[in-house]
Amino acid sequence: MHAPKIPLFLDCDPGIDDAIALGYVLCRPDVDLVGVAASGGNVPTAQVTANALGWLALAGDTSTPVHPGSDLPLAHLSGERTGDPVYADDTHGPTGAGYAQLPEHSAPSPVSAAQAWVDAARAHPGELIGVVIGPATNLALALDIEPELPRLVRRLFIMGGAFNYRGNTHPTTEWNVTFDPESTARVIREFGAKAPVLPVIAPIEATEAVVMTPQRLNMVLRYEHGAGWHAWLEQLAQALKFYFEFHQWDGHGYLAHIHDPFVVAAALAWAHSAPAASAPAPIPWSRTATTAADVELTGTLTRGETVADWLGRWDRPDNLEIIRSIDSESFIAHLLTTLGKGPKA
């Protein structure tokens, strides 16, 4: 008798490492990808939506719904900030897919990303694994629709932040949080206070250890797989070529930090290992610590910085489990094998 599949709702902003994370999910036959939320971030929301649909279509998946997210971060929606958001097309290319050419695709779902979060949680109460690997705008807006959402989700996993670490956007800030600091602050606050298990965040000081190189990419390409998945991997290689070039320009060498796949994989591995109830279980491939944490919203130099109260000076309860380090070699071996084998029918 087969175990039930893990229901997963993925909020992403593809983005090249988001595409790898999405491909990883497609290679997991034990996962029910109930929906994808498209968050503006690496590129504008309309392009992110098209990218998510294009990567899915290239893999032969035309049934997973992709839900368009907000066009603007929370502070822009409220009028607190004006002007156009700044996107990361220098990092991911003008379309967010590097040099990849994605196919024509079906239309996105008419259901908004925020509503889709709520619908997925209500359909899978206490079972849904939620993963945010882009800005948290959609999830923050979902809390307006259903304030009890943190109690409906089995556990939330986030990629973002830089705790006591140099940033990859501003001197002390990470991209996903910088794009919409108010949304991350609200999500951490609400889920940290209400969820049955503390939310997990994987910041860049941990995820930068997950590195893709041309040699590792070639290991994946050498696997034998069907024509459809081979085409998907060929376009991934074109996307990664751009990503390698960006990292070389940025002083890291001809390689790529692929932050997002680890968060998805860790979430699914935790879901397999953890009891159905809220008893604690370790996050695979990780060393973690729990603490009170928050996001700086007003600093002229530090807006978007994630702050952990390691010394307990705030006298607040813990609201976050933070990935402090990753066993990157073990995880990368798992990732390459999974991508190499491709999707299972």
Side-chain angles (χ1 to χ4, degrees):
M1 192 171 178
H2 295 293
K5 292 186 176 184
I6 300 168
L8 171 69
F9 190 85
L10 181 64
D11 201 321
C12 56
D13 63 334
I16 296 168
D17 55 335
D18 303 75
I20 301 172
L22 190 57
Y24 172 85
V25 172
L26 297 177
C27 295
R28 290 289 299 264
D30 57 334
V31 175
D32 177 15
L33 183 58
V34 300
V36 174
S39 170
N42 285 321
V43 287
T45 302
Q47 185 64 61
V48 164
T49 304
N51 290 350
L53 287 163
W55 285 111
L56 288 169
L58 189 59
D61 183 340
T62 58
S63 60
T64 298
V66 175
H67 304 275
S70 172
D71 288 327
L72 296 170
L74 292 190
H76 287 71
L77 292 173
S78 68
E80 295 175 22
R81 299 181 75 84
T82 58
D84 294 331
V86 176
Y87 299 103
D89 48 316
D90 59 337
T91 306
H92 296 268
T95 68
Y99 298 123
Q101 299 293 316
L102 300 181
E104 293 294 322
H105 51 76
S106 57
S109 168
V111 178
S112 73
Q115 184 63 54
W117 264 107
V118 175
D119 294 346
R122 288 173 175 169
H124 304 276
E127 299 177 351
L128 185 72
I129 297 295
V131 178
V132 179
I133 54 176
T137 313
N138 300 321
L139 183 51
L141 292 171
L143 290 166
D144 289 333
I145 302 171
E146 176 52 271
E148 293 302 302
L149 187 58
R151 294 190 173 98
L152 295 174
V153 174
R154 183 178 174 193
R155 197 166 196 186
L156 176 66
F157 289 76
I158 303 167
M159 190 280 126
F163 294 89
N164 306 104
Y165 190 70
R166 58 120 181 101
N168 65 356
T169 304
H170 297 147
T172 62
T173 68
E174 176 275 333
W175 175 258
N176 287 343
V177 180
T178 304
F179 187 83
D180 189 348
E182 282 78 11
S183 69
T184 305
R186 182 175 186 192
V187 165
I188 290 173
R189 181 174 65 249
E190 296 290 330
F191 275 81
K194 296 179 181 178
V197 188
L198 289 180
V200 177
I201 192 166
I204 58 171
E205 63 266 26
T207 59
E208 280 185 350
V210 183
V211 174
M212 181 64 78
T213 64
Q215 294 77 17
R216 287 171 170 168
L217 175 62
N218 286 335
M219 290 174 61
V220 176
L221 295 173
R222 282 199 294 267
Y223 275 81
E224 292 187 9
H225 21 60
W229 191 242
H230 183 72
W232 193 95
L233 290 173
E234 284 185 327
Q235 292 308 311
L236 178 65
Q238 291 302 308
L240 279 167
K241 182 175 184 291
F242 188 98
Y243 216 28
F244 293 151
E245 291 172 359
F246 166 78
H247 282 80
Q248 186 174 49
W249 171 86
D250 206 29
H252 299 286
Y254 198 73
L255 50 78
H257 298 140
I258 51 172
H259 310 274
D260 296 335
F262 167 79
V263 184
V264 176
L268 297 174
W270 177 87
H272 270 301
S273 65
S278 58
I283 308 299
W285 302 296
S286 304
R287 180 179 64 85
T288 72
T290 58
T291 188
D294 211 332
V295 181
E296 174 59 50
L297 301 179
T298 59
T300 57
L301 298 177
T302 57
R303 174 174 158 79
E305 182 177 342
T306 47
V307 183
D309 182 20
W310 301 117
L311 300 178
R313 300 288 169 79
W314 291 340
D315 195 27
R316 299 184 197 172
D318 293 351
N319 64 352
L320 202 58
E321 184 168 359
I322 301 174
I323 306 286
R324 301 297 288 152
S325 64
I326 294 171
D327 179 356
S328 59
E329 292 301 317
S330 294
F331 170 67
I332 290 166
H334 165 76
L335 175 66
L336 299 181
T337 300
T338 304
L339 290 174
K341 291 180 178 178
K344 306 295 188 296

